[in-house]
Structure formats: C-alpha cells, structure tokens
Amino acid sequence: MAAVDFVSDLKPFKSTWKIRVKIVRMWKQYSGVVGETIEMVVVDSKGDKIHATVKKDQVSQFQPFISEGDSKLIVNFAVTQSTGSYRTTSHPYRVVFLSTTRVRVCENLPIQLSGLSPVPFKAIMDGTQDPDYLVDVIRQIVEVTQIEVVSVNGKDTKKLALELRNHNDDRLPIVLWGNFATYVNEAIQTRGQHEVICVLRFGKIKIWKEERSLSNAYNVSDVSLDSDLIEVEDFRALLPKDDLTIAISDSKPLAPVNGVSEKDDFFIHTPRKTIAEVLASRQVEKCIVICKTCSKKVLTVPNDTLDDGIDGNVCGHTYFCVKCNSYSPTLLPRYKLHIVVLDNSTNTKFLLFDNLALQLLHQQCVELTGPITNEIQEPEVIPAAINNLVGKTYLFKIGIERENYLYKHPTFKVLKIITNSDMITEFDVSHSPTGSMMVGGSSSRPSVSKDRTPAKRIGAPIINLEDSFDQNSVTRTSCPVKIKKEKLDESG
C-alpha cells in the first residue's frame, strides 16, 4: 500500500494521490453553469486544509459516503488551481473528485482537530488580510440590533447586525443573513444578558466606504454560539472580567442592499399614502417583502387527566409544536403588538410582530413577561415600556393585503419602521402631505412641521391626539391606546 500523502504535498502533476482527512465543513452549492455540486473543506493530521469539490455528475455516487465530521481516506483525485473571491483555504490548489476516486473508511482523526484558524482583529481591520479569502473569528457579542427583512435579488432575506469584541476590547462589526440571523437572534433572546461567544467560520470580509466588516458567505459559512471548542475556552479565559452585557441598538446602515439605502427605500422607492388612502385602497400593494418567519406558534393541549366537568382545572395543559412535532418545545415569549395610529386624515390599527416591536421597545419580550408559559389573563394591563409609545411619531411601511380592502380587515401589518428623528423630520417636511403617523394617545406635540407652507397642508395639524382620535373614530372609542387581544372571525 502506498504511503499516505499530506495536504501540503498536493500538486496538479498527477492524480494518484492518497490523503487521510477529516471533513470540517460540507455544503451543497448550485450555479446555472455547473449545476449542483458538493463542496467541502478537509483537514489532515498536520492541521493543513484544502478545498474539495464533487461535481454534479458524481454527486449521487459520493453523497451517501461523505458527511461533515467524518474522517475518510480519499484516493485518486484531480488537483486543480484554486481561484475566486470566496476561497475557503490558503492552499493554492483544490481537490476535485473523479468518477474513479475512491472514498474509504479510516481511523478517526482527533475530535479536537477542527481546522479552526482565527484571524487576528488587526489583520482584518488594517487590510492585511486578503478579502478574497474567507476567515474564522472568535469574538464576544457586545451589541445586537433588531432583526430585519430586506429584499436581496428579489428575495426576502433576514438580516441581523452585531458588534463583537476581542480580549483587548477592539470592536468588529458583523452582519448575518438568512437562517444564521434567525439562529443568533433567537439564541441571544434565550440566553438573556449572559456572556455569549460567537464563532464565525468562513466569514466574508466586506468593504464599504473604507469601513470593514464581516458577513456570512451563502452556505459556506458556519456560526456557533458558546461552542465547546478548546479555542473558545482559551478565548473566554482572556476576556476582561467586566461583566459586559449585550446591548440592543437600532439598525446600523452598512452597505446598501442592491444599491438602495434605507432612506431611499422610504423616501423614493416606496409610495407615500395617508391612512385614509390606505383604507380606500382596492389593490394589493407590496412596498417591501413581508417577513415569512420560520417560527411557529405552539398549540395548547389539555392534559389527559384534565376533568371535563365544570370544576376541571383549566390550567392543566401542555404545549405542542406542529412544525417540530413535539409536545415539549422550547418556549420563548414573542411580541404581537397591536397599536392605534393616526395622521391628519384618520386613524387605523397596525400590527407589529416580534422583531419590529423590539425596534420600538428596545427590550426583548422575555424581559417584560419573564419566562412565563401561561397566556396573559389581563390584556388591559399594559407594561410601561409599551405605554411609553403613546404620542411618539414614527415612519411606518405597511402592506395592504386583499383581506384589508375586500373583507374590510381593519388591521395592517407593519413591514418596516424608521425611528430616527432626523429622518422623520426630513420626511415630514419634504414628502408627507398630511404629517407622519403617530401612535394614538394624548400629546401636545404637532405632527406637522411648522416649517411647511399652508399650500402643502391638507387639514389642520393635530394638537391633541385624544381629541383627534375621537373625532375620526367611527366607534367613538373613549380610550384610544388600549392594546386588545385579537379576536377570531366566527364567519371564517
């Protein structure tokens, strides 16, 4: 039997190589030119890594025999030049499986052989690290924004911005997309304010306006929190003992998506409507793609021992998750916030789900409710953080759905919010014919700028929100700020 070769020895001059490696990262990749391929990063016993590819014609041949974490003996393969701007290793070549390649079982390489190669903070920020190569980092999460949904190449995609620090308290901005954004956002909520160490593998260095940040790179990257890797424990030991907690902040604009900044999205690319025009609309309008969250609402299931009689214990229940098919799902309180808003034309109701509500309240839902598992029994008792929204002005981007104009559904789902006061003022002065939308309640603050000319004003400015709401409301509700439980329409 021929001797086993090391990764560092591989060169293109022959195909009769034999390597014993561990698959530390594996994913599928599709392109219109080459079709679906399997991509891998493998590491040998010396810690050297190389990229490996299984082309579409060989996917069905090799897929059953390889998976992430496996140690394999790979025999007879091609070695070609490694190129591109998303290179996973510093090796100048990559492995390409042939139809005559053989994959054999071998003795497992050590568990601690992870192939993790953290890049120094300075190398990323001063430009020493070539951005064509994907990098590994280990950092503590110190700041996080609310999750957003943005349109990327016509597809709605979740985005989460973070700030990480190293043991010297140097800060590194990072943006996560897609499932990684969801995973980290939910994990941080469940961990609360505890110290969280993030490991980003194969991250992409992004450069915008000479500012550098990191991002996950499609399916290539991997993100883990508080991993049990030895490298993570070594990093944690170096951190200053300052008990720094995770701060929640407003979204920070990094590179605009598809060349459209958040300001242009609101000021130029989205049609402006008053509430009256929204209520009068007779067509579906999508100003921004609606978030399709993968999280599911759990169902209550009565216990088998529950007495069906009138004196039965109504609290005797468990929970069931349809998506996970589990009777013991992990429970995490989430916002479903109903608010009354008004401008100079009329008033209506908006619905905000967890991530957008977080943008207004700057508190996780679990911080207001605690880790409760019971439904709220007194919906009229409103936490102070929510009550404090009354009288404040924001820019809302909403979706008008078929149910709104055809079935007179009175509530509109909020898609995006701007809370920046300077942008709100600028929009109010230069774009809004009737003033910005304001959360219902009592306030002496006018919603129409005094700088605007009379010709641009349609209707008088709002002097007292409570009076204005009462005048515009069909039902003459005496208390416009109540947040009510959503009722089911019995007619279906």
Side-chain angles (χ1 to χ4, degrees):
M1 178 182 290
V4 173
D5 301 297
F6 289 110
V7 164
S8 58
D9 298 327
L10 300 182
K11 293 180 176 58
F13 65 88
K14 67 175 185 177
S15 63
T16 54
W17 298 101
K18 178 193 291 186
I19 55 175
R20 177 175 169 244
V21 292
K22 181 179 181 180
I23 303 172
V24 295
R25 185 66 180 146
M26 177 174 161
W27 68 98
K28 284 188 176 180
Q29 187 168 293
Y30 177 84
S31 73
V33 178
V34 300
E36 186 179 68
T37 62
I38 295 177
E39 307 295 327
M40 295 175 284
V41 177
V42 300
V43 60
D44 67 9
S45 59
K46 294 171 61 177
D48 293 319
K49 294 178 292 185
I50 192 169
H51 190 103
T53 298
V54 179
K55 294 185 177 180
K56 66 174 183 177
D57 293 336
Q58 281 80 47
V59 167
S60 59
Q61 177 183 351
F62 293 105
Q63 184 172 345
F65 306 104
I66 52 177
S67 61
E68 190 169 301
D70 285 352
S71 294
K72 297 292 182 181
L73 194 66
I74 305 176
V75 183
N76 197 56
F77 49 84
V79 178
T80 64
Q81 196 76 29
S82 179
T83 58
S85 58
Y86 287 82
R87 297 172 64 176
T88 56
T89 76
S90 59
H91 201 292
Y93 306 110
R94 66 187 180 111
V95 169
V96 179
F97 281 46
L98 306 171
S99 59
T100 55
T101 297
R102 297 293 178 262
V103 177
R104 303 289 188 232
V105 176
C106 67
E107 182 181 354
N108 287 333
L109 289 168
I111 295 177
Q112 62 268 27
L113 186 65
S114 63
L116 183 66
S117 305
V119 173
F121 175 88
K122 184 178 180 181
I124 296 175
M125 303 309 290
D126 66 7
T128 305
Q129 176 64 43
D130 189 337
D132 286 344
Y133 293 87
L134 304 183
V135 299
D136 299 340
V137 295
I138 302 176
R139 296 288 188 273
Q140 180 189 4
I141 299 176
V142 294
E143 187 174 309
V144 60
T145 67
Q146 67 282 347
I147 200 168
E148 299 178 85
V149 177
V150 298
S151 181
V152 180
N153 298 324
K155 182 179 179 181
D156 55 327
T157 306
K158 293 182 179 180
K159 169 191 170 187
L160 183 71
L162 308 167
E163 187 171 77
L164 312 181
R165 73 165 180 173
N166 64 4
H167 60 282
N168 292 322
D169 203 32
D170 298 319
R171 303 300 175 95
L172 176 67
I174 177 174
V175 177
L176 299 178
W177 300 89
N179 293 334
F180 292 122
T182 303
Y183 161 66
V184 172
N185 181 61
E186 294 185 353
I188 288 176
Q189 291 189 46
T190 57
R191 284 168 170 80
Q193 299 296 313
H194 299 295
E195 179 182 275
V196 179
I197 307 301
C198 176
V199 178
L200 171 63
R201 305 203 61 182
F202 309 109
K204 177 65 175 175
I205 298 175
K206 297 288 188 177
I207 305 173
W208 183 58
K209 292 186 177 180
E210 299 183 357
E211 295 290 332
R212 291 173 175 260
S213 63
L214 280 185
S215 174
N216 59 292
Y218 306 106
N219 296 332
V220 186
S221 302
D222 183 51
V223 178
S224 62
L225 301 181
D226 294 330
S227 169
D228 56 1
L229 292 171
I230 295 177
E231 293 89 346
V232 172
E233 294 306 316
D234 291 343
F235 172 79
R236 194 188 298 272
L238 295 174
L239 285 174
K241 309 301 180 184
D242 53 8
D243 296 324
L244 186 65
T245 59
I246 298 176
I248 300 174
S249 64
D250 291 332
S251 297
K252 299 177 181 179
L254 293 172
V257 179
N258 290 344
V260 178
S261 67
E262 182 178 60
K263 181 177 179 180
D264 287 346
D265 196 18
F266 267 81
F267 282 48
I268 300 174
H269 298 282
T270 303
R272 168 75 173 104
K273 287 183 180 293
T274 65
I275 294 180
E277 290 171 333
V278 168
L279 297 175
S281 177
R282 292 296 178 267
Q283 64 179 2
V284 175
E285 298 185 47
K286 298 287 186 180
C287 300
I288 190 171
V289 179
I290 294 178
C291 172
K292 301 178 180 63
T293 177
C294 65
S295 301
K296 298 294 183 182
K297 181 180 179 180
V298 295
L299 306 177
T300 56
V301 181
N303 290 338
D304 292 337
T305 57
L306 180 64
D307 186 353
D308 291 331
I310 192 170
D311 296 326
N313 177 15
V314 296
C315 294
H317 62 264
T318 57
Y319 292 94
F320 176 71
C321 178
V322 177
K323 181 179 179 181
C324 303
N325 192 29
S326 171
Y327 282 92
S328 56
T330 301
L331 300 178
L332 180 65
R334 292 184 180 279
Y335 288 115
K336 186 179 181 183
L337 187 63
H338 294 257
I339 60 175
V340 176
V341 297
L342 59 129
D343 63 10
N344 285 340
S345 63
T346 185
N347 62 78
T348 190
K349 299 174 183 177
F350 284 174
L351 172 63
L352 299 87
F353 285 102
D354 194 61
N355 299 317
L356 291 174
L358 177 61
Q359 187 175 345
L360 292 183
L361 300 173
H362 303 286
Q363 282 185 275
Q364 305 284 358
C365 185
V366 70
E367 294 179 25
L368 295 184
T369 65
I372 61 171
T373 57
N374 295 326
E375 294 182 348
I376 295 175
Q377 303 299 318
E378 297 182 77
E380 303 300 328
V381 180
I382 304 173
I386 298 177
N387 234 351
N388 290 338
L389 295 178
V390 176
K392 294 183 179 179
T393 303
Y394 302 104
L395 291 180
F396 295 92
K397 186 178 292 184
I398 65 171
I400 303 174
E401 298 298 330
R402 188 168 178 264
E403 291 78 5
N404 295 122
Y405 64 83
L406 190 61
Y407 301 109
K408 307 300 182 183
H409 195 287
T411 302
F412 298 86
K413 187 184 295 184
V414 175
L415 309 175
K416 202 171 185 181
I417 307 172
I418 283 183
T419 60
N420 182 280
S421 58
D422 293 335
M423 289 183 65
I424 293 173
T425 301
E426 181 179 351
F427 187 93
D428 198 29
V429 170
S430 61
H431 288 77
S432 170
T434 58
S436 303
M437 298 182 186
M438 184 175 290
V439 179
S442 298
S443 173
S444 60
R445 175 185 173 186
S447 66
V448 179
S449 171
K450 295 180 180 179
D451 297 332
R452 299 174 61 189
T453 63
K456 289 187 178 180
R457 294 181 183 174
I458 302 176
I462 297 174
I463 302 301
N464 186 284
L465 285 175
E466 185 172 339
D467 293 343
S468 177
F469 180 86
D470 186 60
Q471 292 169 9
N472 289 321
S473 175
V474 175
T475 59
R476 302 289 180 181
T477 306
S478 60
C479 183
V481 73
K482 287 186 178 180
I483 299 175
K484 301 180 179 179
K485 294 175 69 175
E486 189 176 31
K487 295 182 179 180
L488 297 176
D489 186 351
E490 295 180 357
S491 63

